[in-house]
Amino acid sequence: MTTTAAESRTHGYENLPGLMSLMTGDEKHGPAATSTLDVLWVLYDRVLRVTPERLADPARDRFLLSKGHGPMAYYAVLAAKGFLPVDRLPGFGSYDSPLGHHPDRVLVPGAEIGSGSLGHGLPIAVGSALGLRAQGLHDPAVWVLIGDAELDEGSNHEAIGFAGPARLERLHTIVVDNSSASHALPGGIAAPFAAAGWSAVTVDGRDHEALYTAFTAPHPGRPHVVVARVEPKNA
């Protein structure tokens, strides 16, 4: 029997490991996926104002997965929330599946961008926030999830340096820190954001209440970054 997207919405957080286990095969980038699981769940369960019925609504929140090289947790959460049927998950990565090793915005319901190449998501999110503001759409929030290794890319630092002075207060960035960056940032990951005028907070990336509090903290007139620390990738 085919499971519809609507029927998938009965799945809660406790079902996510089971949903992820349906996705098998090579090149799963398991640590990249599992590092994002709690962040993604708290966002989609309690924060983002987007549903399968609102995908074409200009007033919806936008979520951009820049850390797209490990999308299994993303697909599991989308299935749990009814954006795609659960029975699509076992085909993950196969030649005829819409669920590729990098998300495709044309094929995956709810995906705002195609992603996976490091350093692209945050600049796109800055452009999205600017575009919404130019259209007079001041209510939708733009969220982007990046990995700590993406901060090795200069494009992200240009975006950080622009967004603060531009006062893009509807822009929210989550950096999942699993100690995979090649280059350390003086003062820590949050430091360059704060220096550029962002609101910045660092939390335990497995603590749902801490994540929710950080995600919903007020930051008038400033973009906001949450650094979510999880276990090291090679631990």
Side-chain angles (χ1 to χ4, degrees):
M1 179 182 295
T2 300
T3 303
T4 67
E7 290 170 337
S8 298
R9 296 183 211 189
T10 59
H11 294 278
Y13 176 78
E14 67 279 2
N15 299 114
L16 293 181
L19 294 177
M20 290 183 66
S21 72
L22 297 175
M23 291 174 272
T24 59
D26 297 330
E27 299 182 16
K28 294 191 295 182
H29 287 284
T34 55
S35 68
T36 66
L37 186 62
D38 296 273
V39 163
L40 287 167
W41 178 256
V42 174
L43 277 176
Y44 275 90
D45 192 53
R46 302 172 64 179
V47 179
L48 290 175
R49 295 170 302 172
V50 61
T51 63
E53 295 79 18
R54 294 189 64 190
L55 291 181
D57 183 356
R60 74 188 183 283
D61 287 348
R62 274 75 166 168
F63 173 75
L64 284 59
L65 180 69
S66 185
K67 193 178 170 73
H69 55 285
M72 290 195 305
Y74 184 47
Y75 295 153
V77 171
L78 288 178
K81 290 299 179 181
F83 289 85
L84 55 91
V86 169
D87 56 15
R88 287 189 187 172
L89 299 179
F92 165 72
S94 61
Y95 77 95
D96 59 349
S97 172
L99 307 182
H101 293 295
H102 293 185
D104 186 325
R105 66 174 298 273
V106 177
L107 300 177
V108 180
E112 296 280 356
I113 60 171
S115 61
S117 298
L118 300 185
H120 290 179
L122 181 53
I124 294 173
V126 169
S128 298
L130 279 171
L132 289 169
R133 188 164 72 181
Q135 296 175 72
L137 296 171
H138 300 292
D139 193 42
V142 177
W143 291 81
V144 58
L145 190 160
I146 71 175
D148 61 313
E150 293 192 67
L151 294 173
D152 291 341
E153 303 291 337
S155 55
N156 277 320
H157 294 276
E158 293 179 7
I160 293 166
F162 176 86
R167 300 177 65 84
L168 294 179
E169 67 177 75
R170 301 307 291 155
L171 174 63
H172 307 76
T173 298
I174 305 154
V175 184
V176 173
D177 178 12
N178 66 349
S179 302
S180 59
S182 299
H183 307 292
L185 294 172
I189 288 176
F193 291 90
W198 289 57
S199 166
V201 62
T202 299
V203 298
D204 180 346
R206 299 303 187 191
D207 185 328
H208 289 198
E209 291 307 315
L211 287 168
Y212 177 74
T213 298
F215 292 163
T216 57
H219 50 94
R222 297 191 290 169
H224 185 54
V225 62
V226 176
V227 179
R229 289 177 172 166
V230 297
E231 61 280 358
K233 177 180 178 179
N234 297 316

